Amino acid sequence: MAKTAQGRASGKIILMGEHSVVYGKPAIALPFEAVEVLTTVTEGEGDLTVNCAFYDGLVHEMPKVYESLKHAIRFSLYRLGVSQNPAIKIEITSTIPAERGMGSSAAVAVSVARALFASYEKELTESELWDIAQSSEKIAHGNPSGVDVTTISREQSVYFVKGQPIEILDVDLPGYLVVADTGHIGHTLEAVQHVADWIDIENQGGADLYFSPQGHIEILGELVAASKEALLDRDINRLGKLMNRAQGYLYDLGVSDASLEHLVQTAREAGALGAKLTGGGRGGCMIALASSADQAHSIAQALEQEGASQTWIQSLAKV
Ligand code: PMV
């Protein structure tokens, strides 16, 4: 066993396709390198301990709210063939804001699995990493589509359809993505349930619905497919328009909120080619598309002036 080992994972941004991805439609997601989780495993004394921003103590005494992290640790050890609590210390540091639609929980699970496998000097296969992180996500989020774990574990942009082979996307656009945190915790589970409830109502006869939730899911899927074409054609203007259209359908589905709408509007007024929420919504983060670094900076500045708690800028050009 190595005396010290580390595992890292970046965040992720869903460019297009949140929520509709739950219903078998495609999603486009990118690794978000500006934020990351770093897990360090060191040989300790006594029992298995974990130290992170929310908890410092024995793994077996972790409160229920950290069950997904506990599961990632236990499942990794199980896959490593370690049956008894090893005397190791697991330290987790993260710059990914939790519950903001940036894939924090998936990134924690991926970095923990990577660090533990590195500390036992064992190879971690893609399928093992998927099993560990996705089962941990199930505890955190109920029935996740898998787009977070796929993007974060592959460290590549993906065109993701639940249950289908992963398509890696070669993103190389002359533009920038501005990401802004509303500063409010997102409510992915609630938002996913809200969409499911509306689909149920529609299936039972529709009552007084003024739109078709399933129709919206279909259109969102089509917008994602069109976005893939725009990405491949390197047509940033078209992509921006598609993002704007997606936001309207997501709003109708009830997964946006006032803070997201305000920042989306602010970004558009500041010159963004397109702007929408990203991730589960109802709080969390939004994204805006900019055609130059200067424009990205002025959009970020406008977003911060209008209440964004934090902003980031990521180039969409291939490095
Ligand atoms: O909020 P996040 O980062 O967990 O993203 C959720 C994305 C959804 O499409 C709303 C749910 C899912 O399982 O894909």
Side-chain angles (χ1 to χ4, degrees), residues 49-72:
T49 62
V50 67
N51 171 276
C52 62
F54 308 105
Y55 181 78
D56 185 14
L58 296 169
V59 168
H60 75 263
E61 285 179 357
M62 282 174 93
K64 198 100 188 115
V65 282
Y66 307 124
E67 197 60 31
S68 62
L69 168 58
K70 190 169 167 180
H71 177 86

Side-chain angles (χ1 to χ4, degrees), residues 12 14 17-22 99-105 137 141 143-148 160 187-188 191-192 278-281:
K12 71 96 216 318
I14 298 181
E18 49 278 280
H19 288 288
S20 43
V21 70
V22 173
E99 297 181 66
R100 299 294 210 280
M102 283 193 182
S104 166
S105 55
E137 276 288 272
H141 291 308
N143 185 23
S145 64
V147 64
D148 286 19
F160 175 89
H187 295 92
T188 300
V192 169
T278 182

Side-chain angles (χ1 to χ4, degrees), residues 244-313:
N244 282 340
R245 288 185 60 199
Q247 177 62 21
Y249 291 99
L250 290 165
Y251 175 83
D252 280 353
L253 285 171
V255 299
S256 190
D257 73 356
S259 62
L260 286 164
E261 289 303 315
H262 181 61
L263 293 186
V264 163
Q265 201 48 40
T266 300
R268 288 177 188 159
E269 281 162 16
L273 304 176
K276 62 182 277 293
L277 63 83
T278 182
R282 293 199 166 186
C285 288
M286 56 77 66
I287 51 174
L289 193 59
S291 55
S292 68
D294 279 352
Q295 191 182 54
H297 283 289
S298 52
I299 293 168
Q301 206 176 10
L303 290 167
E304 284 180 18
Q305 269 163 12
E306 288 301 315
S309 63
Q310 216 176 335
T311 59
W312 301 262
I313 294 171

Side-chain angles (χ1 to χ4, degrees), residues 44-97:
E45 285 163 18
D47 215 330
L48 177 61
T49 62
V50 67
N51 171 276
C52 62
F54 308 105
Y55 181 78
D56 185 14
L58 296 169
V59 168
H60 75 263
E61 285 179 357
M62 282 174 93
K64 198 100 188 115
V65 282
Y66 307 124
E67 197 60 31
S68 62
L69 168 58
K70 190 169 167 180
H71 177 86
I73 297 169
R74 291 245 173 261
F75 198 17
S76 298
L77 291 171
Y78 168 76
R79 284 290 175 95
L80 283 161
V82 180
S83 53
Q84 298 213 317
N85 271 353
I88 55 177
K89 189 170 152 200
I90 300 170
E91 283 178 281
I92 303 167
T93 55
S94 175
T95 55
I96 310 182

Side-chain angles (χ1 to χ4, degrees), residues 89-302:
K89 189 170 152 200
I90 300 170
E91 283 178 281
I92 303 167
T93 55
S94 175
T95 55
I96 310 182
E99 297 181 66
R100 299 294 210 280
M102 283 193 182
S104 166
S105 55
V108 166
V110 167
S111 79
V112 162
R114 283 183 174 151
L116 282 168
F117 272 71
S119 84
Y120 282 86
E121 294 164 333
K122 290 232 173 100
E123 191 206 343
L124 175 61
T125 64
E126 251 169 32
S127 81
E128 258 167 344
L129 181 56
W130 164 268
D131 288 350
I132 295 165
Q134 183 64 1
S135 60
S136 168
E137 276 288 272
K138 280 190 178 146
I139 296 168
H141 291 308
N143 185 23
S145 64
V147 64
D148 286 19
V149 168
T150 301
T151 313
I152 290 168
S153 63
R154 296 287 180 120
E155 301 174 65
Q156 278 170 308
S157 301
V158 294
Y159 187 73
F160 175 89
V161 182
K162 199 158 96 175
Q164 287 190 17
I166 294 142
E167 202 180 318
I168 302 298
L169 272 184
D170 196 16
V171 174
D172 185 14
L173 275 186
Y176 294 81
L177 207 57
V178 182
V179 181
D181 186 351
T182 59
H184 304 141
I185 282 178
H187 295 92
T188 300
L189 256 185
E190 235 179 73
V192 169
Q193 190 54 49
H194 181 80
V195 176
D197 288 348
W198 263 5
I199 289 176
D200 272 355
I201 293 173
E202 184 175 33
N203 284 337
Q204 284 158 25
D208 47 7
L209 280 178
Y210 58 91
F211 70 96
S212 158
Q214 284 166 107
H216 272 35
I217 297 287
E218 283 301 321
I219 296 168
L220 281 166
E222 285 160 19
L223 294 175
V224 180
S227 299
K228 179 185 163 190
E229 294 309 314
L231 271 177
L232 297 179
D233 293 345
R234 306 184 72 222
D235 188 339
I236 193 166
N237 290 300
R238 187 158 27 117
L239 179 62
K241 287 187 185 122
L242 291 163
M243 287 167 67
N244 282 340
R245 288 185 60 199
Q247 177 62 21
Y249 291 99
L250 290 165
Y251 175 83
D252 280 353
L253 285 171
V255 299
S256 190
D257 73 356
S259 62
L260 286 164
E261 289 303 315
H262 181 61
L263 293 186
V264 163
Q265 201 48 40
T266 300
R268 288 177 188 159
E269 281 162 16
L273 304 176
K276 62 182 277 293
L277 63 83
T278 182
R282 293 199 166 186
C285 288
M286 56 77 66
I287 51 174
L289 193 59
S291 55
S292 68
D294 279 352
Q295 191 182 54
H297 283 289
S298 52
I299 293 168
Q301 206 176 10

